[in-house]
Structures are given as structure tokens and as C-alpha cells.
Amino acid sequence: MHLLDFIHQLLPFTRDWADWFVYVLMVFFFAFAILNTLVAPLTGISTYIERRLAGRAQYRWGPNRVGFRSLLSALPLTRGLTKLADVQPIKFIGSKIPGGLLQFAADGLKLFTKEDIIPSGADSFLFRLAPYVVMAGSFAAFAVFPVSFWCSATNLNIGIFYVIGISSLVVPGVLMSGWASANKWALYGGMRAASQIVSYEIPVAISLMTVVMLTGSMNMNDIVASQLSGYGIEKAGLLGWNVFRYGGLLVVPFVVYFIGGCAEVNRTPFDLPEAESELVAGYHTEYSGFRWSFFFMAEYANMFAVGAIATTMFLGGPLPPYPAAFTEGLPMLARFGEGFFWFFVKSYFFVLVMIHMRWTLPRYRIDQLMHLCWKVLIPIALLWFVIMCGVKMWRMEQNLPKHPAAAAAGAHR
Amino acid sequence: MRYDYVGVLVFLVLAVGFILAGMTAQRIVSRLLRTWRPSASKLSPYECGEEPVGGTYVRYNIRFYVIALIFIVFDVEIVLLFPWARVFQELYPFYRSVLFWDMVIFIGILAFGLAYVWAKGDLEWVKTFRKHLSPAEKVARSPQKKEAA
Amino acid sequence: MIAVLGLQLSNPGAWVFLAFAAVTVASALMVAVSRNIVYSAFSLLLTFFGVAGLYVFLDADFLAAAQLLVYIGGILVLILFGIMLTNKIRDIHVSNDTTNPILGAVVAAGIFLVLAYVSLRCDWQVEDRPPAATAHEIGRAFMGRYLLPFEASSVLLLGALIGAAYLARRSEKKEGA
């Protein structure tokens, strides 16, 4: 195991420890890092961005009070420093640091100190258990994301299939929260959410299966490696990304995946289960305070996961849009940062698209939703799967250079 | 490979531990700040600010169950197709078009099933037996005018 | 006893296995014994999850993920929908009546003794080979030896689909929907 040797080299005192312990510790730190950068704080910042974008869409300010300026002027010692908050970071843009940046921290603190209300008719054990199940299902998907060049927390051979499987843990969790709330709106919202998530899993899985077929491997790192080259050019950068290959034919599975992914996260236009005008807040109506924030975090983690899968499978994951040869000589830490930067930017781009979609599009009705899934997306996904299979066969018959999945896969640990 | 799944277990345990730690901290803080004051109105089910009417159960649309049934069939189809997708590229030089037609037959049979369920109206969310309706009712109940369930 | 069961308790993997086995058995017991049918259904979630963990111990990773996807994501959801669609569930708490408990216990004990005897007497061959890439092997098997069962399973699924849709339609017609 190269990885263990690497760790032994870096931190010599680990040589005395048992192998499994080193490995567990390594994954634990990786997971902890992901939790504290990609899940919890990102939720907060995403809420701020969402509220500001919502304000833009509705021609009003979003939160712009609770920020560094107000924090500095509130504390007696730093009152004189408020001028610092008016600094213009980039002169020609002409705007100051936006206020309201700390809104999410204030909201988090408020949620933390709120009373934890469990309704009297509720099944208190299941009520408490539901956030765990939903969060476990959402967070465990992060274990296979290639956050940097061939660096993912766990290198599972069934990478993408594992993601599809573990995110189906969310469905009973949603049903559990709907049932345990002892509120008919919550129950109805839970059942609608469950049937929606479950229906849209099929076109999602089929479009991902298309990519797996074209790559020949379910391992996320292999899929990223196979996107290094395209159109016969090695290390092609942008041209190697799956969505641009095969003459752009993979755009359709890409769009199908993204639409299905939006629906899985219950995001408008598919947010019927949590529509305020319909069901108050759907399956998490009765949850308040900090318990609710876990559902919220799970939702934003799920959004990021959908974006991350879309980038890994279709957009090349951590691969930069310029040919990788430009940055080959850099030290390892710089390369790690570069990979993570591109992975994050691409995934977060999808989160921003989802946020924009929410504040632009009206909501689907439940029968329109089901019609879209079963009568539009599934036939298109199946058809495109067969078409791509034919294209791939045609390619292989012509003996074009095979995708360097196997060759590049040897380069990772 | 076993080690990789230990990593998965670490992720799951961390998710559970995160919530556990968060909720414990929250309980301690809220007892400290004395924000824990249950009262009957707070504990009653939420109904947009009105008094709750009726019990907490409703007769539900059987559509939910049918959708879940159809989902299972397609789910198993996906599970069976994934290994096929995995080995397609490797086995192609040996089996050639047999691989392709194999998959086409498999998907074709299930696409036929989807078409059947579609034609029989099992995918409609609000089920109306159209042949029992008069022409005027059919127009009135067309999809543009359908109510959500 | 520990040597016979093949577990080295110094190995932490053994503890994880024991934990998964305990979770599976305990939750399966809850499914059978619980008085509240919703608790039974949600214990089934734990049972399926425990079985998935046991599959991982057998190096059947694809099967473990398939278990999560199909059983937890599909069958458990179906069971839960079925429970939640039936009326007046909240008024019934004693949902699992027991009949003939003594005879049942005798039969169960007998089966348990037979299984325990067989599993302890058996000469379990433990191979120490590196885990195979299961999805790959399953794919090869599907295209090679098990091609006909692969296609036959699609016919089976078709039959299940048509039958289930027909039954649901019939029960709807009965209610005069």
C-alpha cells in the first residue's frame, strides 16, 4: 500500500502503530476536514449566497447588516476599526466587502440556542433518529469524491455505484421524519419527497451508467483519469472532459443527470415536498432549532454532492481546463491545491446554478413531476444509453486509441 | 479493499458523531440559558397557526405504492446493468456485438414493461378511468385542468 | 470457543464484525417481536444495513451496495408506504399477536440447535486470497456462463412489473376510485 509507506515517510512516529490504526486516523482527518469545510461552513455560506441571490432576483437587498462592520462597531475595543470594513478590496469594481457576511453565523447561533421542541404526539425516538439517518446518507457519499488528483478519502472499486446506493439511505430517513412528526402535513410531505427521490434515482443511475460504460470502470479516480485526454490529444484539458467528448453527445446524459439530481435534493422546481405554500415545510415541519439545522445541512451537502458527481463524471473532476502539462512541475502540495480548487469551483458552480434555478422557476405539480420523470427522462436516458453504446462500439471497431483509464490508474495510489 | 470500507465506516460514524455531539452541546447550552420551557401550545402539531383539525392520519393516494413498486423493478434492472457497463469495454474484443444485443434485449424487455404500465395509465398520478367518462367530462379532466392530488 | 469460531479478538476487524452481526440479529429480533409495526419496519432498516456490512466482510462490495440500493432504497420504502397507507394505524399498537408461543419456541430452539451443531462441526475452509474485483467478475459471469439467467431475470422483472401493476389497478377499481 503506497499510501501507508507515504505516511510512514512523512511522519516517522507512525511506523510503530498498527496499519489499520494509521489508516483509520488518516481517513478520519480527511473526513473531518471535509465535514468542516465542505459541509458545515459551506452550508452557512451557501445560505448567505442564496439569500443575496434571492434578493437580486426579487429586486431587494439580501441580508446586509450582520457583517464585519457591525461586529467591529459592536465590540467596544474595535469601534475605531470600523473604517477597516469599508475597505475596497478591488478598486475598479467599486464595491465594498459585502455586509451580512456573518449572517449565517448569527443564524447558526440562534438555532443553537433555541428550545428543542418535540411535539407531544410525536414518536420521540424516531423523531430523534431521523436526522442521523438523513445525515449519514448524505455525508457518506463524500467518501469517494476525488477532491484532488487521484486523491479521494477511500478508493472504492465500485465508486459511483456506492454513491447511488448510500444516498438511498436518505429515503427511509425522510419517511421516518415525516411519520414521527405526528403531523399530517409532515407525513404527506415525507411520502411525496420519498416517492420523488425514489423516482428520479432511475434516470440519474442510467445516465451515470452511461459514463461508466464509456469509461469501463466505476472507480471515480479511474473516471477522472480517463478524462485526461480526448480527441486523440494526451492531457487535453478542456477537450478531455466527458461532456465535450464523443462530439458532445454526452450533453444529454449530463442534463438528465443534473435535472434528476435537482429533483433528488428536493430543490425547486422540484421542491413540492417542502413548498411553503403547500405543506409548510414538508417532512421537517415539526423540527425546530438545531435539530432542523441538520436536515438543512444534509440538504446543502446533498446539493454539493450532486454537483460533485456531475463534475467528476462529466466535467473532469479536479482536472483543470488548461492542459495538465502546464502545471506538471509544481510541488505536490501546489498540485493538491490546484486539483481541489478546480473540483470545488466546478461543484460549487452547480450549487449556484441550483440556487439560481430556485429563484427563477416556478414549482412543478406532483403529476407534472412524475410525468417528467417516468415519461420523459427515463425514455431519454435509456435511449441515450443505447446510442452511446453504439457509438462506443463503433469507436472500438475503428480501434481508436483506448481511453488511458488503465494506464493513468496506475499512477494513483 | 477491506481498508476502503473501513473508511466508509469512518464517514458514517463521523456523521452520526457530529450530530450526537451537536445535539448534546445544544441540550447543555439550552438548559444553561434556560430556554427549555415546554408548553401545551408549543407541543401541539403545527397547522399554519390554526388549531389542529382531525386526527393525524389521512387516506392516501395509492399512487405512492405503485410508484415504489415500479421503482423496485427498474432499480433491480439498474443493479443488473452496472456490471455489464463495467465489463463492456474489456470484453468487447471477445464477444463483439453479442454484448450489445444482449443489453438491448434486456433493456427492451423492461422498456416494454414501462410502455405497458404507461399505456395502462399506472403512471398517472390522478387515476381516472377515461373510458367511463363522457366526452364533455374528458375535456374537462384533460391534463391541463387536472388538480394536484 | 474463540478459536473455533475463527475470530481473533486481538484484531479490531473481529470487533467490527461482531458489532455488525449483533446489530443485524438484534434488529431482526426487533422486527419480529416489536409491538409497534412502524418500529418493526424501521428495525428492518438496521437489519438490511447490517447485512450490507456483512457482505463487505465477505468481500462482496458490489453486492453490499446493491443491498443498500434495492433493499433499503426500494423494498423498505415499499413496506413503509404500505404501512403508512393503511388506515387508523395509530389506533392499533398491538399489531403482532403471538399464538402458540410454546410450540414456536420449541421449534425455533430445535432449528437453532441443528444449525449450531452443523456450523460448529463443519470444517470451514478459510482462504486467504486477495479480494477480487467483484463487479468485474459479476459482469464477466453475466456475459459468459450466466447469460441466460441474465436475460431470464429481465423477463422475471417484467412479470413482476405487470403483475404488481395489475394488482394495484384491481384494488383501485374495487374501491371505486
Side-chain angles (χ1 to χ4, degrees):
Chain A
M1 292 191 66
H2 308 34
L3 194 49
L4 276 180
D5 295 335
F6 174 71
I7 297 283
H8 288 324
Q9 238 181 341
L10 209 58
L11 308 162
F13 56 85
T14 54
R15 269 178 237 239
D16 303 325
W17 296 349
D19 273 353
W20 65 268
F21 186 66
V22 175
Y23 186 81
V24 166
L25 221 55
M26 219 172 56
V27 176
F28 178 76
F29 280 121
F30 206 108
F32 196 74
I34 290 184
L35 187 66
N36 285 324
T37 56
L38 290 184
V39 176
L42 200 70
T43 305
I45 298 181
S46 299
T47 43
Y48 170 70
I49 293 179
E50 167 143 24
R51 288 164 75 175
R52 286 290 259 200
L53 285 176
R56 279 230 125 174
Q58 296 169 345
Y59 201 55
R60 58 176 173 86
W61 297 109
N64 63 350
R65 299 287 174 196
V66 183
F68 291 110
R69 180 174 230 275
S70 53
L71 186 66
L72 287 173
S73 59
L75 305 172
L77 289 172
T78 55
R79 219 161 267 163
L81 296 171
T82 44
K83 286 281 187 314
L84 266 178
D86 293 336
V87 142
Q88 286 184 318
I90 304 170
K91 273 277 192 225
F92 68 89
I93 291 190
S95 65
K96 309 179 185 150
I97 303 174
L101 271 174
L102 291 177
Q103 179 75 43
F104 76 92
D107 282 340
L109 200 62
K110 172 203 74 171
L111 285 171
F112 191 66
T113 54
K114 263 198 173 187
E115 175 182 349
D116 181 26
I117 299 177
I118 301 182
S120 52
D123 189 331
S124 111
F125 177 64
L126 289 180
F127 191 83
R128 276 184 256 252
L129 189 61
Y132 291 91
V133 179
V134 174
M135 189 68 164
S138 307
F139 185 58
F142 282 76
V144 273
F145 291 154
V147 297
S148 184
F149 295 115
W150 304 297
C151 173
S152 54
T154 56
N155 187 24
L156 297 182
N157 263 330
I158 51 161
I160 190 66
F161 191 64
Y162 157 79
V163 172
I164 301 177
I166 202 92
S167 43
S168 67
L169 258 185
V170 167
V171 186
V174 161
L175 278 174
M176 205 190 283
S177 72
W179 172 266
S181 299
N183 180 336
K184 48 181 168 299
W185 310 115
L187 181 54
Y188 207 53
M191 293 182 76
R192 271 194 190 170
S195 58
Q196 179 181 315
I197 296 175
V198 133
S199 305
Y200 278 89
E201 259 177 36
I202 301 172
V204 156
I206 297 177
S207 30
L208 293 176
M209 200 161 56
T210 312
V211 175
V212 168
M213 171 194 56
L214 294 171
T215 310
S217 169
M218 291 193 263
N219 191 332
M220 301 282 247
N221 292 319
D222 284 347
I223 294 175
V224 168
S226 79
Q227 296 181 66
L228 262 180
S229 71
Y231 293 103
I233 315 169
E234 288 287 319
K235 310 226 166 151
L238 204 64
L239 283 179
W241 294 359
N242 267 339
V243 78
F244 297 120
R245 281 209 290 198
Y246 304 101
L249 273 178
L250 273 176
V251 168
V252 173
F254 172 56
V255 170
V256 166
Y257 171 73
F258 187 65
I259 295 177
C262 279
E264 294 240 348
V265 201
N266 290 338
R267 203 67 193 167
T268 321
F270 305 104
D271 68 345
L272 200 62
E274 39 182 66
E276 285 109 25
S277 46
E278 295 247 352
L279 294 167
V280 189
Y283 55 91
H284 45 74
T285 310
E286 294 286 353
Y287 284 82
S288 60
F290 210 46
R291 228 180 268 288
W292 172 83
S293 73
F294 291 118
F295 276 108
F296 202 58
M297 261 188 267
E299 173 170 337
Y300 276 88
N302 248 339
M303 278 171 69
F304 189 81
V306 165
I309 297 172
T311 71
T312 313
M313 307 294 277
F314 294 100
L315 251 53
L319 295 175
Y322 43 82
F326 286 179
T327 48
E328 241 170 358
L330 290 180
M332 205 183 51
L333 211 59
R335 295 222 74 199
F336 182 88
E338 176 198 5
F340 182 73
F341 172 74
W342 285 110
F343 171 77
F344 182 78
V345 161
K346 290 185 229 177
S347 309
Y348 207 66
F349 168 71
F350 286 108
V351 175
L352 289 176
V353 168
M354 282 196 240
I355 293 179
H356 276 95
M357 271 171 61
R358 177 180 185 178
W359 296 107
T360 317
L361 297 172
R363 177 177 300 137
Y364 267 111
R365 243 180 17 223
I366 186 80
D367 60 313
Q368 289 171 330
L369 216 143
M370 290 297 168
H371 167 96
L372 179 71
C373 173
W374 292 97
K375 302 187 185 178
V376 176
L377 288 183
I378 291 184
I380 290 181
L382 282 175
L383 186 70
W384 228 259
F385 180 65
V386 177
I387 289 177
M388 292 316 295
C389 188
V391 167
K392 174 87 176 170
M393 254 182 20
W394 179 72
R395 268 283 189 89
M396 288 202 281
E397 285 291 334
Q398 290 187 335
N399 282 325
L400 275 175
K402 289 214 160 119
H403 310 290
H412 72 82
R413 297 154 191 158
Chain B
M1 179 180 70
R2 200 72 73 70
Y3 279 135
D4 288 324
Y5 287 92
V6 174
V8 168
L9 194 62
V10 167
F11 267 83
L12 287 169
V13 167
L14 192 63
V16 168
F18 175 63
I19 300 187
L20 208 60
M23 282 317 296
T24 324
Q26 197 265 351
R27 277 191 87 133
I28 296 175
V29 166
S30 96
R31 301 291 158 120
L32 269 176
L33 294 176
R34 303 202 202 276
T35 52
W36 190 73
R37 276 170 224 274
S39 74
S41 64
K42 275 198 269 190
L43 294 174
S44 64
Y46 183 70
E47 239 172 274
C48 301
E50 316 236 334
E51 292 297 315
V53 171
T56 49
Y57 60 87
V58 184
R59 272 289 287 273
Y60 293 111
N61 203 344
I62 203 171
R63 291 291 118 223
F64 291 115
Y65 195 76
V66 176
I67 293 287
L69 272 173
I70 303 178
F71 163 73
I72 289 185
V73 172
F74 282 91
D75 208 13
V76 177
E77 172 190 1
I78 287 166
V79 165
L80 290 174
L81 274 178
F82 255 95
W84 180 91
R86 166 86 170 81
V87 292
F88 180 64
Q89 190 175 314
E90 282 174 52
L91 292 184
Y92 185 73
F94 307 105
Y95 293 106
R96 296 265 149 143
S97 35
V98 168
L99 277 178
F100 177 70
W101 293 112
D102 195 1
M103 180 270 296
V104 167
I105 294 175
F106 189 85
I107 290 189
I109 292 179
L110 283 160
F112 171 72
L114 180 67
Y116 172 82
V117 171
W118 184 338
K120 285 290 185 173
D122 290 313
L123 295 175
E124 302 289 327
W125 194 256
V126 177
K127 195 82 184 300
T128 45
F129 293 95
R130 300 185 83 81
K131 57 181 186 289
H132 297 306
L133 301 174
S134 67
E137 273 187 339
K138 272 193 194 165
V139 168
R141 280 180 182 245
S142 64
Q144 282 76 35
K145 303 205 168 88
K146 244 193 264 202
E147 289 282 318
Chain C
M1 191 59 162
I2 293 168
V4 166
L5 285 178
L7 286 176
Q8 303 159 326
L9 282 185
S10 56
N11 182 4
W15 288 100
V16 178
F17 169 76
L18 277 178
F20 269 103
V23 159
T24 311
V25 170
S27 56
L29 207 63
M30 269 288 287
V31 172
V33 158
S34 164
R35 302 242 131 196
N36 183 346
I37 201 168
V38 179
Y39 275 28
S40 288
F42 284 117
S43 312
L44 202 56
L45 168 68
L46 271 180
T47 312
F48 287 152
F49 191 74
V51 171
L54 294 177
Y55 280 144
V56 170
F57 273 102
L58 290 170
D59 290 331
D61 52 351
F62 183 79
L63 202 55
Q67 165 92 3
L68 287 175
L69 185 57
V70 174
Y71 273 94
I72 294 185
I75 294 187
L76 183 66
V77 169
L78 193 69
I79 291 176
L80 282 170
F81 275 166
I83 291 176
M84 292 175 186
L85 281 175
T86 49
N87 254 345
K88 294 186 171 49
I89 194 74
R90 287 202 169 266
D91 298 346
I92 301 176
H93 284 285
V94 181
S95 56
N96 296 324
D97 291 331
T98 48
T99 53
N100 269 332
I102 300 174
L103 186 63
V106 165
V107 172
I111 297 179
F112 173 73
L113 283 174
V114 169
L115 285 175
Y117 180 70
V118 166
S119 55
L120 289 176
R121 265 292 291 264
C122 178
D123 186 21
W124 296 106
Q125 304 278 346
V126 178
E127 289 181 37
D128 201 10
R129 57 178 172 173
T134 46
H136 181 235
E137 292 304 319
I138 293 178
R140 291 186 72 126
F142 271 156
M143 292 299 112
R145 231 182 119 170
Y146 298 102
L147 190 54
L148 186 59
F150 180 66
E151 298 296 338
S153 65
S154 77
V155 177
L156 178 66
L157 287 170
L158 178 69
L161 181 61
I162 295 182
Y166 171 73
L167 282 175
R169 225 180 301 138
R170 238 184 51 175
S171 68
E172 258 202 352
K173 274 204 192 123
K174 250 195 241 172
E175 292 164 15

